[in-house]
Amino acid sequence: EFVFLGRTKAPTEDEQAELYTAIAKALTPGQPLVIRTLDVGGDKPLPYLPIAPEENPFLGERGIRIGLDRPEVLRTQVRAILRAADAGARIHVMFPMVATIEDFRQAKAIFEEEREDLGVASVPLGIMVEVPSVAVMAPQFAAEVDFFSVGTNDLTQYTLAMDRGHPRLAPQVDGLNPAVLGLIAQAVKAAHEADRWVGVCGGMASDPQAVPILIGLGVDELSVSIPAIPAVKAQVRSLSLAQCQELAARALAQDSAAAVRALVPAYDDES
């Protein structure tokens, strides 16, 4: 969404294509470049893409719902992405805020129409796992998508029914709650059974207490902010997979996020 924020009007197809192409060229040829389609709404409004006031904006028009409701916005971005497909990097596309199989199928249909029209080769299409329904139905989704990317910030707030921006409830919105970890475990299991990979792109991926647990759950990729990369890489290199798996199993059996967090310092001391 950084392409779309801080502007008074929507970026054109040419502007988007130029940016995506520059990024693709900067990477090693064949290296994966994952581009998420427009993810606004909720706490990320756009002045030039007005959304009527909603009583519950986090349960309203946001993510792929906007793209499906206003397909010209999605089609413009899809064409721009596809124009960068031969620039060097291996383009992957993921759709945010998917809640039902039909969400994905509709978005994929739009994507495939534009791809065929431009004559571009197939592109891996994935989804964000942000809504509990996706984790619960992970086997069905894994049969149709190419990869999962777990958005732990939203997955946590929807699982716990707590607004992560709420002044009093926010401290309780902890992704290490066993309920959230259980959903991630379900998604990973289904994805791997279907030979799909799973990344985590929410705040948990940078949380040093969460990293060993996520690895133990089988997550394949951690997507973190640039300043966190060295520390997370160093931590991952120091971990034992077997110990992480044991830790994850213990975490799933706990009854609170606090109890899970209490496991990690002891695990670090033992390692």
Side-chain angles (χ1 to χ4, degrees), residues 37-40 60-71 74 77-78 94-100 102-104 106-108 110 127 130:
T37 61
L38 180 61
D39 187 17
V40 293
E61 272 199 283
R62 56 179 308 214
I64 197 60
R65 296 171 184 174
I66 293 176
L68 296 178
D69 183 60
R70 309 179 199 197
L74 179 59
Q77 185 176 23
V78 165
M94 65 181 180
F95 302 119
M97 197 58 187
V98 168
T100 67
E102 192 57 30
D103 288 342
F104 174 71
Q106 290 181 27
K108 180 179 179 179
I110 290 173
I127 59 171
E130 302 170 283

Side-chain angles (χ1 to χ4, degrees), residues 38 72 133 137 140 191 200 202 225 252:
L38 180 61
E72 69 284 355
S133 60
M137 290 182 58
Q140 292 94 318
V200 169
S225 60
L252 290 171

Side-chain angles (χ1 to χ4, degrees), residues 49-157:
L49 193 66
I51 299 173
E54 299 174 304
E55 186 173 348
N56 294 303
F58 281 104
L59 301 180
E61 272 199 283
R62 56 179 308 214
I64 197 60
R65 296 171 184 174
I66 293 176
L68 296 178
D69 183 60
R70 309 179 199 197
E72 69 284 355
V73 175
L74 179 59
R75 288 183 182 276
T76 297
Q77 185 176 23
V78 165
R79 288 194 299 270
I81 292 171
L82 288 168
R83 286 169 58 182
D86 295 326
R90 171 72 163 136
I91 299 291
H92 294 59
V93 174
M94 65 181 180
F95 302 119
M97 197 58 187
V98 168
T100 67
I101 289 283
E102 192 57 30
D103 288 342
F104 174 71
R105 290 173 179 166
Q106 290 181 27
K108 180 179 179 179
I110 290 173
F111 188 93
E112 290 301 317
E113 285 177 13
E114 297 299 335
R115 185 186 66 78
E116 292 175 6
D117 186 59
L118 291 174
V120 176
S122 294
V123 171
L125 297 178
I127 59 171
M128 299 282 292
V129 180
E130 302 170 283
V131 182
S133 60
V134 176
V136 172
M137 290 182 58
Q140 292 94 318
F141 278 98
E144 300 196 25
V145 310
D146 294 310
F147 63 93
F148 288 157
S149 185
V150 183
T152 54
N153 298 343
D154 275 329
L155 181 62
T156 301
Q157 77 168 348

Side-chain angles (χ1 to χ4, degrees), residues 177-212:
N177 185 290
V180 179
L181 296 178
L183 290 175
I184 296 173
Q186 287 180 231
V188 170
K189 181 176 184 292
H192 288 176
E193 287 179 349
D195 197 25
R196 308 290 192 250
W197 62 268
V198 182
V200 169
C201 61
M204 278 177 65
S206 304
D207 182 342
Q209 287 186 290
V211 166

Side-chain angles (χ1 to χ4, degrees), residues 206-212 230-239 264 268:
S206 304
D207 182 342
Q209 287 186 290
V211 166
V232 173
K233 289 179 74 172
Q235 181 182 12
V236 170
R237 291 190 181 114
S238 73
L239 296 170
V264 182
D268 285 343

